[in-house]
Amino acid sequence: MITKAELLRRFNEIIVTEGYAMPLYVGHMLQTLPWYGLPADIEYTTRQVLEKIRRETEATRANAETIYLNIQESKHSEF
């Protein structure tokens, strides 16, 4: 079992990481990608992978926020 407070804290960590850190990191990678001098096909593939990470990060953050709100509204004190 885990307390409601601890579960909310853990989901908040996910939200912060997925909501702030990952987009900054992926954005930086996308901006600096041309500096690496990669062949065009490898740069294209890398860019596609980074864009997929960006989309999945946004989805994970949104899901974590929804779960967080559901836990917060729950009457349970342990899960």
Side-chain angles (χ1 to χ4, degrees), residues 42-78:
I42 293 175
E43 183 176 332
Y44 175 80
T45 301
T46 304
R47 188 170 297 281
Q48 296 301 311
V49 169
L50 290 170
E51 289 294 347
K52 183 172 182 169
I53 291 170
R54 183 189 305 231
R55 288 189 304 273
E56 289 179 1
T57 295
E58 291 171 0
T60 300
R61 180 196 43 78
N63 288 336
E65 287 175 349
T66 300
I67 294 168
Y68 182 93
L69 292 174
N70 287 337
I71 294 168
Q72 195 173 37
E73 293 172 359
S74 172
K75 294 179 181 165
H76 299 284
S77 60
E78 291 187 331

Side-chain angles (χ1 to χ4, degrees), residues 27-40:
H28 173 73
M29 294 294 295
L30 286 167
Q31 288 176 348
T32 61
L33 194 57
W35 300 353
Y36 300 122
L38 298 170

